[in-house]
Amino acid sequence: MAVPTIALYASPPSSVCSSPYPCQINAHATYDFELNSRSSSTTSSSASSSQKPIVGGLSRLFSSPAVKHASFSGDREELGSLWHDRGDELKELGSSFCYTPSKYLAGSSTKRDQSPVSVLHGQVSCSSSPPMKITRERSGCDVGFQSSIHGSYRGGANGLFNGFVRNALGSCVDYDSPSFEVRRDGVDYGSSSVAVDELTFAMEDSFVEANYEPYAKELLLGAQSRHKIFCDDFVIKAFYEAEKAHRGQMRASGDPYLEHCVETAVLLAIIGANSSVVAAGLLHDSLDDSFLSYDYIFKTFGAGVADLVEGVSKLSQLSKLARENNTASKTVEADRLHTMFLAMADARAVLIKLADRLHNMITLDALPLVKQQRFAKETLQIFAPLANRLGISTWKEQLENLCFKHLNPDQHRHLSARLVESFDEAMIASAKEKLDKALTDEAISYHLHGRHKSLYSIHCKMSKYALPPSLPLSVTPTHGQAVFIKLIVTLIIIAAALAPALGSLKHELIVWKKLNMDQIHDIHGLRLIVEKKEDCYRALRVIQRLWSEVPGQFKDYITNPKFNGYRSLHTVVMGEGTVPLEVQIRTKEMHLQAEFGFAAHWRYKEGDCKHSSFVLQVVEWARWVITWQCETMSKDRPSIGCDDSIKPPCTFPTHSDGCPYSYKPHCGQDGPIFVIMIENDKMSVQEFPADSTVMDLLERAGRASSRWSAYGFPVKEELRPRLNRRPVHDATCKLKMGDVVELTPAIPDKSLSDYREEIQRMYEHGSATVSSTAPAVSGTVGRRS
Ligand SMILES: Nc1nc2c(ncn2[C@@H]2O[C@H](COP(=O)(O)OP(=O)(O)OP(=O)(O)O)[C@@H](O)[C@H]2O)c(=O)[nH]1
Ligand SMILES: Nc1ncnc2c1ncn2[C@@H]1O[C@H](COP(=O)(O)OP(=O)(O)OP(=O)(O)O)[C@@H](O)[C@H]1O
């Protein structure tokens, strides 16, 4: 039989994915566009209209036969799950308020993958005028890459891309290249440890033929019908290995474990990940839950995939630790965890972990309620913000909506029902069409996309502003005022509980606290991106001619930029009918700033948090890597029918001189490091300066505990540190981002009294046997003769 061979080449990741994916299904489409030259705008505008979502895309394409194997009962964090029709679930969780432009409908030959993190992205529908085509010149991304490696990427001593980020970009360029120079745990595997052609492999007969369970074949076929990347030999090989690794394992739902691996990989494929990432998605649980080793994956798939799988495994372990210790509920530690996740792992490993978590959340119902809650809490505190920081808004929204559903089922049900009534997607579509036409008539070049606000985002907005009805809506309380109002309301509620006479006042306040849905003006929104500043105002006039404006809602953040530099025009109009429509108008440059710069949306959404420049750099780097990764894929796809596909953001907006958030020398490539410290079974995420050692950690731990001796010296001998599960023999060894240091006192404080009691009992009862519950001590405890 024919033996397909696969070799890895030093080609860009997009090379395996150069064709359209005819059966790709987008649960939450995000579309990217560029400023085009005018002439055929009508095609895109009309095409992007009122199509229903293809949310059923993730629903089961086939039914898995029951597989008669014992349930897998590993104690890994991740869950078994009931597979149910996710089409319905997704519909309920937001997609019902989402629609997909017809030009990207499944089955369409012009369909393409969508980057989740595009510079010019929209979630619902998009159109663009075709006038000024911006060619993707070499000075774009490619050249940017080169310069980022060999010199200052952006120039300037204070450049955001200096130091850490520049290095990170270097590694980004090397993705998927076959240099295979890997350093793991300080071990240099050497650039020649696995040569490219050693990775050539042959499909085994058993793979093509027999050994498969029938369900596995169906799973593969199903994945292939949804995304063409699953026809790639490299990915098929990964599927085969995942099948072998998880054979016989079941999820709590009774479904084969492999299904989870495939769904995770499909989610990644949908957002445009390449074959290495999709393969790693298939294998993401194999290190923890099966007999596969890092070395085996390394030999079979190369360092790229092996490192990604290992990265995901490490993130899973950290997440499990954090969940068990409830670390995510502490704001500071949760923030450090976010940073550590992004900084310690290849950003793509975070992407895989997010896809894994998204599928687990989609199928959470199979778990007991307590676990559902624990996962939902952690997802809301750790993973949804990570998706937000990476700019993958579709995943962020799905994660949040799912958490909302599990944590506040009543409110979720209530709000869903209301939104089903009030959400008017046809209105967005027709407003877009109208605006498309008017802008074309005015010869304004533009990109336009519409979105509806997600369920959870509406919920947050409704509970955020505790405004008395007498205050005009345009007045938004500051954070401090909002906290104060909440405090007063809470006090009155408590007082009302104690004094029934205050009951009616309490009722008033509860009603008063909530912002009515009618008072939220951006449930339906359009964003218009134009070429020049003047065009913003020209477009505004066009909009004012088309619709009547809601008084008091116009904001000119171009003339008066926000404190963070955010620039845009905002207006709310009464679109078609009685539904308000928010329209944001900005130039492409302003949009870059709003997506990636100082005024980045993720920071706007995270609120008042003070982020160090290190955190900002890490986030921007991670977003950049993911953006590039996904968009390069789309870029090289000839089938799109036009060569104006997406250009990654190669230059970040610069920070002004003296900006407190810009790059600072003390926060350079060796920046702060975050490590996990586990002491007396309590976990904390600690921040250390670069070059810190285990000894520094011991000193910090000693200083904080009673073990700090009266002479000012830490009693280090008592702390037996283990670094990443291995005993530390040399305390001067350096700490690395994401290290886990366990401190196990030789005689644990807590157990000391137990220990004494045990000895006492031994003497009293003349027993020479130490109970198994007694803490281990060095040496043997025997009966005194
Ligand atoms: N990226 C980014 N977007 C922003 C920023 N400020 C506002 N926006 C966007 O603009 C929208 C409306 O902002 P504003 O017109 O200032 O509205 P507001 O006063 O906050 O009141 P609401 O619309 O009720 O929230 C937000 O929902 C965001 O989408 C910012 O600093 N950065
Ligand atoms: N009018 C709009 N048109 C298109 N996209 C928008 C519009 N307003 C916000 N977005 C985008 O929609 C996504 C979801 O934003 P979301 O509605 O949750 O919050 P927000 O509107 O930005 O902020 P807030 O809830 O504080 O008003 C973000 O990517 C945001 O940039």
Side-chain angles (χ1 to χ4, degrees), residues 13-21 24 30-33 104 110-118 136 227 269-274 626-648:
S14 50
S15 58
V16 291
C17 291
S18 55
S19 53
Y21 301 141
Q24 178 204 333
T30 300
Y31 300 119
D32 314 303
F33 6 96
Y104 296 127
T110 55
K111 195 155 168 33
R112 65 180 187 186
D113 287 328
Q114 306 303 336
S115 161
V117 281
S118 164
R136 204 184 331 109
H227 206 292
I270 285 173
I271 65 160
N274 71 3
I626 300 285
T627 304
W628 176 81
Q629 170 84 20
C630 295
E631 297 198 349
T632 311
M633 295 273 301
S634 314
K635 182 178 76 177
D636 287 352
R637 217 162 283 155
S639 54
I640 295 166
C642 51
D643 63 353
D644 61 345
S645 54
I646 302 94
K647 180 167 59 178

Side-chain angles (χ1 to χ4, degrees), residues 111-318:
K111 195 155 168 33
R112 65 180 187 186
D113 287 328
Q114 306 303 336
S115 161
V117 281
S118 164
V119 184
L120 302 171
H121 73 138
Q123 285 173 281
V124 178
S125 60
C126 67
S127 57
S128 56
S129 69
M132 5 164 234
K133 179 156 156 28
I134 296 176
T135 43
R136 204 184 331 109
E137 57 312 284
R138 291 286 302 167
S139 64
C141 183
D142 300 348
V143 173
F145 267 124
Q146 297 312 318
S147 55
S148 73
I149 311 164
H150 300 301
S152 167
Y153 182 77
R154 224 189 19 154
N158 287 335
L160 196 61
F161 272 11
N162 279 336
F164 174 81
V165 179
R166 190 178 58 228
N167 286 349
L169 285 177
S171 68
C172 167
V173 179
D174 285 336
Y175 288 156
D176 302 291
S177 81
S179 66
F180 298 116
E181 188 167 339
V182 185
R183 283 176 184 273
R184 302 174 56 231
D185 303 324
V187 181
D188 189 353
Y189 281 66
S191 53
S192 58
S193 61
V194 177
V196 180
D197 43 6
E198 277 177 46
L199 285 165
T200 301
F201 59 79
M203 296 288 182
E204 297 162 31
D205 287 12
S206 58
F207 162 54
V208 181
E209 297 296 330
N211 265 341
Y212 267 147
E213 296 281 352
Y215 80 87
K217 236 175 214 167
E218 285 178 18
L219 273 177
L220 181 59
L221 283 175
Q224 286 173 338
S225 73
R226 289 149 74 184
H227 206 292
K228 200 184 171 186
I229 204 163
F230 290 94
C231 300
D232 183 314
D233 286 345
F234 190 72
V235 173
I236 294 176
K237 174 76 179 164
F239 174 85
Y240 169 52
E241 292 296 343
E243 194 277 330
K244 275 199 297 189
H246 295 292
R247 198 173 291 172
Q249 295 178 357
M250 313 290 283
R251 304 196 92 205
S253 59
D255 288 322
Y257 201 91
L258 185 63
E259 216 167 70
H260 167 68
C261 306
V262 170
E263 290 307 321
T264 301
V266 168
L267 285 169
L268 291 161
I270 285 173
I271 65 160
N274 71 3
S275 57
S276 300
V277 177
V278 172
L282 284 164
L283 294 164
H284 76 271
D285 272 336
S286 59
L287 281 184
D288 298 304
D289 288 349
S290 82
F291 51 85
L292 284 199
S293 66
Y294 173 90
D295 291 337
Y296 181 79
I297 301 175
F298 182 87
K299 277 194 208 109
T300 315
F301 296 100
V305 174
D307 285 346
L308 280 175
V309 175
E310 194 186 47
V312 179
S313 160
K314 193 146 193 195
L315 293 179
S316 297
Q317 282 157 19
L318 288 184

